[in-house]
Amino acid sequence: MSIEMRRAAERGHADHGWLDTWHTFSFSDYHDPRFMGFRALRVINEDFVAPGRGFPTHAHRDMEIITYVLEGALEHRDSLGTGSVIRPGEVQRMSAGTGVRHSEANPSGDEPVHLLQIWIEPAKGGIEPSYEQKTFADADKRGRLRLVASPDGVEGSVTIHQDARVYATMLGPGQQVVHSLAPGRHAWVHAARGALTLNGRRLTAGDGAAASKESVLTLIGEQDAEALLFDLP
């Protein structure tokens, strides 16, 4: 059995003034050969974007990009003609495929936006770019693992082009959820806020943990917590 911890303070960090960003895995100017991703999970960036600022139009290819907003709102525009605002409880999936250009900005004049940007490598390249956005109520995540992304879009999840499943959960003190890992599967757990334990290991906001050769994952809230669990090939 194996659980490897990735502490929040050990992540890559850059403060650009308008953007305060933390990189769980190597990204942009942050490079650590020990943390190039985990299985098909390539990026978890925790971003704080200042009011009225954002990422100018830029291009992506062959990546499944998931945006998970924790506080505030993020405005999205892309070359597919999509224009939307992503708020807490909403999950956006953009399949970059053969190529897409997009911009992301904080439309608020006074409130920052706090978000997670997640990249998952697709099972194959060169797919047609596409976009999807769905809402997942807090009540559906509280005390349970809510499937928010999957390869087949079951249970109202967004569809990703990889044999990976992403779950979101919100746990109060003492609340517990259990996830079984099939043989040969791996998991990454990211604590988005609060504190919880994973098979007895304590995670606080920004911490991550890789689980391999574990058949059962038990998450228990220590204080009000929100976390994402990635079930990966």
Side-chain angles (χ1 to χ4, degrees), residues 73-89:
L74 188 72
E75 186 174 20
H76 167 96
R77 296 185 182 278
D78 64 38
S79 54
L80 304 175
T82 308
S84 67
V85 176
I86 312 154
R87 295 182 172 85

Side-chain angles (χ1 to χ4, degrees), residues 166-183:
V166 184
Y167 299 85
T169 187
M170 304 177 83
L171 298 171
Q175 279 192 313
Q176 173 178 305
V177 292
V178 176
H179 180 73
S180 297
L181 272 183

Side-chain angles (χ1 to χ4, degrees), residues 3-9 11-12 21-25 38 41 43-48 68 70 114-118 145 165-171 187-198 201-211 217 219 225-232:
I3 293 180
E4 298 289 336
M5 305 299 294
R6 174 64 157 150
R7 294 298 180 192
R11 296 176 295 173
T21 180
W22 295 83
H23 308 311
T24 295
F25 304 114
F38 179 72
L41 178 60
V43 167
I44 301 178
N45 288 347
E46 181 179 14
D47 293 339
F48 299 83
Y68 190 94
L70 293 162
H114 178 197
L115 67 129
L116 299 175
Q117 186 168 100
I118 297 150
L145 287 164
R165 288 160 182 82
V166 184
Y167 299 85
T169 187
M170 304 177 83
L171 298 171
W188 185 275
V189 174
H190 178 84
R193 51 184 157 200
L196 67 148
T197 60
L198 167 65
R201 304 287 193 94
R202 187 172 190 263
L203 282 78
T204 59
D207 287 347
L217 301 176
L219 284 67
E226 186 168 1
L228 295 178
L229 186 154
F230 301 83
D231 186 322
L232 302 161

Side-chain angles (χ1 to χ4, degrees), residues 30-51:
Y30 169 64
H31 180 80
D32 186 333
R34 300 171 303 163
F35 296 100
M36 297 301 296
F38 179 72
R39 313 298 298 182
L41 178 60
R42 178 60 188 84
V43 167
I44 301 178
N45 288 347
E46 181 179 14
D47 293 339
F48 299 83
V49 182

Side-chain angles (χ1 to χ4, degrees), residues 7-193:
R7 294 298 180 192
E10 298 169 354
R11 296 176 295 173
H13 179 232
D15 189 346
H16 301 285
W18 66 273
L19 169 66
D20 188 16
T21 180
W22 295 83
H23 308 311
T24 295
F25 304 114
S26 294
F27 185 86
S28 187
D29 294 333
Y30 169 64
H31 180 80
D32 186 333
R34 300 171 303 163
F35 296 100
M36 297 301 296
F38 179 72
R39 313 298 298 182
L41 178 60
R42 178 60 188 84
V43 167
I44 301 178
N45 288 347
E46 181 179 14
D47 293 339
F48 299 83
V49 182
R53 301 297 298 272
F55 303 91
T57 301
H58 56 283
H60 293 285
R61 291 180 64 89
D62 290 332
M63 197 64 70
E64 302 292 290
I65 299 172
I66 295 172
T67 302
Y68 190 94
V69 173
L70 293 162
E71 293 178 290
L74 188 72
E75 186 174 20
H76 167 96
R77 296 185 182 278
D78 64 38
S79 54
L80 304 175
T82 308
S84 67
V85 176
I86 312 154
R87 295 182 172 85
E90 297 177 330
V91 174
Q92 175 216 69
R93 183 271 303 164
M94 187 175 73
S95 296
T98 54
V100 66
R101 294 176 60 80
H102 77 141
S103 63
E104 297 159 302
N106 181 355
S108 172
D110 53 9
E111 295 290 335
V113 58
H114 178 197
L115 67 129
L116 299 175
Q117 186 168 100
I118 297 150
W119 293 9
I120 295 174
E121 295 173 354
K124 65 178 183 178
I127 64 174
E128 182 179 351
S130 60
Y131 179 95
E132 194 176 12
Q133 183 173 327
K134 294 192 174 181
T135 302
F136 301 92
D138 285 358
D140 290 339
K141 294 178 279 191
R142 220 176 288 283
R144 65 184 291 254
L145 287 164
R146 175 64 166 100
L147 185 67
V148 298
S150 70
D152 44 15
V154 296
E155 298 177 26
S157 59
V158 300
T159 302
I160 52 176
H161 298 85
Q162 176 56 270
D163 183 20
R165 288 160 182 82
V166 184
Y167 299 85
T169 187
M170 304 177 83
L171 298 171
Q175 279 192 313
Q176 173 178 305
V177 292
V178 176
H179 180 73
S180 297
L181 272 183
R185 301 286 292 186
H186 305 259
W188 185 275
V189 174
H190 178 84
R193 51 184 157 200

